[in-house]
Amino acid sequence: MPSFGLYYPWTHFQNDNWLKLALLTWDRLARMRPPAAPDRDGDLVRRLRGETDFLVETAPSAAVLNVVAESFGEIFDADPGRLLDRYGLDEPRACDGDPRGPGWRGYAPPITQHMVMGPPPVEVLTAVPVGGPGAKMTGGLRDGLVRLGLAVPMDGQWVGLDPELASIYLAVLADAMSHREALSPVTDDPRMHHATGALDRLVSLVFDEHVPVPAVENVSSAYLQIALETVLEPSHVDRVPGEKLISFREKHRAELAVFQAHVASLGPELQAAAEADNLEVAVAHLRALYETRTRPQLEELRKALRGMGIEASAGTLVQKIDLNAAAGTVLGSVAAAGGQLAVAGVAVAVTLVPYLAGKTKARRQQMAKSPVAYLLAADRKLTGRALLRRDR
């Protein structure tokens, strides 16, 4: 499965809980944030930027921008009147900052990427960078949009678009860039158009022609997140401190790679969810697959560890000493100490080291063989009970 995601359509992340799950799901996550854009990142994003290699700042190449510009240009040349009727900037899209004014279609940009035009009733537009490092649009396409009345130039190298047209443009841009850079587009804004395949669906998107689109954009990452949510309980994700997630990710990268391979092996079985048009149906397929293919392996791993004297229930991992197996060392040490417990304690501590080391080695080998060891690690370290112990 792809291990490198491309965040779209916005410059800044909108949901910290989504980002926390992304941190546990992807090896890396790229985003298109121009260097000149104001730094409006939250504490979690700044921590990820400063302490990990998880976030990658990137920009579309000139080749990607040209492909998108040519595709949009062909549509604008074919039917400019129809475009103006739908996306022209002669009518306000929102009144006095209220996103539900005339013409509202549900695509208002976040405050970090919008511009307001004119006196009340105001018009809220989406700002897109043009030219310079981190540009998301060619100068030629910007000029054509402005001439048609579909965009307005802004201060600096930015242009303002109708929010819905901008959401389509940014989805198509993410799709084109993903193909070129072997990335997988992901978003934390459920209102947005799916980027996957958006370039091929451009005409239907622009003219609002209904074309069935799978409800789940990236079925492999969705499956991985459902597996994690089943273990972690989504309501508790917001309680997991950022530093704990960062530490967990760094420690369990190898297990994540193995689990990603397990998910990739389910490719044919994931197809039903990948083709579902209804989100509830897609999620039901994924949950059913988890119950039949992944959860049994997780229970088998727990059972195997318990059989080795290791308790692996949710939120805990306790080493249990098998006195019968250790009798030769433990009881022998007590006898050697003449029944004196104070002396025996030292002897037991010394002689148990090889025994415990053997148990630890066996545990590591068992974990290394399992494709679901990553889920068990998340269960141990990131669940509500683990956090409760930490707080205490």
Side-chain angles (χ1 to χ4, degrees):
M1 61 174 286
S3 58
F4 207 142
L6 174 65
Y7 175 74
Y8 80 97
W10 311 122
T11 299
H12 299 88
F13 299 101
Q14 304 300 304
N15 188 315
D16 272 4
N17 286 345
W18 179 91
L19 186 58
K20 286 180 177 181
L21 278 175
L23 179 64
L24 299 176
T25 304
W26 299 93
D27 292 333
R28 300 283 192 281
L29 186 62
R31 66 166 172 172
M32 295 178 276
R33 184 172 74 92
D39 186 354
R40 295 191 175 102
D41 286 336
D43 292 340
L44 176 60
V45 177
R46 291 181 181 180
R47 186 160 214 156
L48 291 174
R49 285 167 50 191
E51 301 177 16
T52 75
D53 59 359
F54 177 65
L55 291 181
V56 177
E57 307 287 4
T58 187
S61 66
V64 167
L65 293 178
N66 287 332
V67 166
V68 177
E70 290 172 5
S71 298
F72 270 88
E74 291 173 1
I75 295 178
F76 297 155
D77 292 342
D79 198 343
R82 191 177 174 189
L83 287 169
L84 279 171
D85 289 343
R86 184 168 182 82
Y87 304 110
L89 302 182
D90 56 342
E91 294 184 4
R93 296 292 185 267
C95 295
D96 298 320
D98 178 4
R100 302 193 183 278
W104 168 252
R105 291 194 291 269
Y107 294 94
I111 191 67
T112 57
Q113 202 165 331
H114 85 195
M115 64 172 290
V116 176
M117 286 185 59
V122 299
E123 185 167 7
V124 175
L125 303 179
T126 299
V128 178
V130 182
K136 297 183 182 181
M137 180 182 290
T138 65
L141 179 57
R142 173 201 56 199
D143 295 343
L145 290 169
V146 171
R147 282 196 302 270
L148 287 171
L150 296 169
V152 293
M154 298 169 55
D155 293 338
Q157 296 178 314
W158 296 75
V159 67
L161 302 177
D162 168 272
E164 186 176 7
L165 181 60
S167 75
I168 295 170
Y169 178 83
L170 293 170
V172 170
L173 177 64
D175 185 36
M177 185 172 176
S178 295
H179 277 295
R180 185 123 185 145
E181 307 294 342
L183 304 173
S184 184
V186 290
T187 183
D188 58 0
D189 192 335
R191 303 170 307 161
M192 293 301 104
H193 299 283
H194 279 187
T196 303
L199 185 60
D200 293 333
R201 304 194 318 272
L202 179 55
V203 173
S204 61
L205 287 172
V206 167
F207 293 122
D208 199 26
E209 298 170 355
H210 178 69
V211 175
V213 177
V216 177
E217 184 156 24
N218 186 290
V219 70
S220 295
S221 64
Y223 183 80
L224 202 159
Q225 289 198 2
I226 282 177
L228 282 169
E229 289 176 345
T230 302
V231 170
L232 297 179
E233 302 176 34
S235 61
H236 293 155
V237 172
D238 61 337
R239 294 168 49 194
V240 184
E243 64 269 18
K244 189 175 185 66
L245 284 170
I246 291 171
S247 174
F248 178 87
R249 176 180 177 274
E250 294 303 312
K251 185 176 181 180
H252 297 283
R253 284 192 181 197
E255 289 98 326
L256 174 57
V258 174
F259 187 56
Q260 287 172 337
H262 164 70
V263 175
S265 73
L266 302 176
E269 295 163 276
L270 290 171
Q271 194 61 32
E275 295 175 353
D277 297 337
N278 182 280
L279 181 59
E280 288 74 16
V281 172
V283 170
H285 278 301
L286 293 175
R287 291 194 184 283
L289 184 58
Y290 172 80
E291 292 295 328
T292 57
R293 291 297 305 274
T294 300
R295 185 169 185 170
Q297 295 192 57
L298 184 57
E299 296 306 319
E300 286 177 10
L301 177 58
R302 286 196 177 109
K303 183 178 179 181
L305 294 180
R306 284 196 295 267
M308 295 161 49
I310 299 172
E311 183 65 32
S313 58
T316 180
L317 186 68
V318 180
Q319 181 77 56
K320 291 185 175 180
I321 299 172
D322 183 345
L323 289 181
N324 290 325
T329 56
V330 177
L331 300 182
S333 299
V334 174
Q340 300 297 316
L341 295 181
V343 179
V346 177
V348 170
V350 173
T351 56
L352 271 181
V353 169
Y355 173 78
L356 293 176
K359 285 286 189 180
T360 301
K361 181 178 180 181
R363 167 189 169 272
R364 287 175 178 168
Q365 290 174 340
Q366 186 69 37
M367 294 282 281
K369 290 189 299 181
S370 173
V372 296
Y374 183 67
L375 291 183
L376 182 59
D379 188 7
R380 287 174 46 211
K381 299 293 182 63
L382 302 176
T383 56
R385 272 178 280 184
L387 295 176
L388 182 61
R389 287 202 313 276
R390 175 183 178 274
D391 293 341
R392 287 176 177 170

